[in-house]
Amino acid sequence: QAQLVESGGDLVQPGGSLRLSCAASGVTLDSYYIGWFRQVPGKEREAVSCINTSDGRTYYPESAKGRFTISSDNAENTVYLQMNNLKSEDTAVYYCAAGPRAFPLESTCMKPVFFLSWGQGTQVTVSS
């Protein structure tokens, strides 16, 4: 099964930007939906965005629209999350995950149970 490794998390000041990377081993990412999720201690894991790298379709939950952009480089087998104008409330551990393309992208993205392979996460801290 897929092994996913996130990188790019850092400590940044409010208004700053980060680009997170999700590199896959053992599977080609264009065979799956790939999602970015974040989690704050004591709260439920929250979807940030998802992508079908096969056709390029993306989905952004309403709560995450506006400042984040998901993209992929299929040749590098990597999915990215560009985060701009970061705010303190964006502080979280960010995870990428792979799930089968069994249901529509938008509904799958809102159901983390469908994502079977998860990375270990990368910490994003937004603070002055």
Side-chain angles (χ1 to χ4, degrees):
Q1 58 183 349
Q3 286 192 312
L4 307 176
V5 179
E6 304 95 336
S7 62
D10 204 352
L11 170 65
V12 298
Q13 294 185 338
S17 298
L18 285 174
R19 188 180 75 161
L20 306 183
S21 298
C22 175
S25 300
V27 67
T28 54
L29 292 181
D30 62 7
S31 297
Y32 298 87
Y33 292 153
I34 307 299
W36 281 101
F37 302 81
R38 65 186 182 188
Q39 189 166 25
V40 177
K43 294 187 177 181
E44 296 288 334
R45 190 164 295 184
E46 175 188 28
V48 176
S49 63
C50 296
I51 187 170
N52 181 351
T53 63
S54 180
D55 61 14
R57 289 194 63 235
T58 59
Y59 175 76
Y60 299 90
E62 190 67 31
S63 62
K65 288 181 179 179
R67 297 176 295 115
F68 297 174
T69 303
I70 191 170
S71 63
S72 66
D73 185 337
N74 291 351
E76 297 295 327
N77 210 28
T78 301
V79 171
Y80 303 96
L81 181 68
Q82 180 67 46
M83 305 187 295
N84 297 323
N85 192 24
L86 286 163
K87 304 175 181 179
S88 60
E89 54 262 41
D90 296 318
T91 295
V93 177
Y94 284 72
Y95 301 88
C96 68
R101 295 182 292 187
F103 300 97
L105 177 65
E106 57 271 20
S107 57
T108 301
C109 194
M110 301 305 294
K111 294 288 186 180
V113 67
F114 288 117
F115 291 81
L116 303 180
S117 297
W118 293 81
Q120 295 299 306
T122 184
Q123 177 71 49
V124 172
T125 302
V126 184
S127 177
S128 59

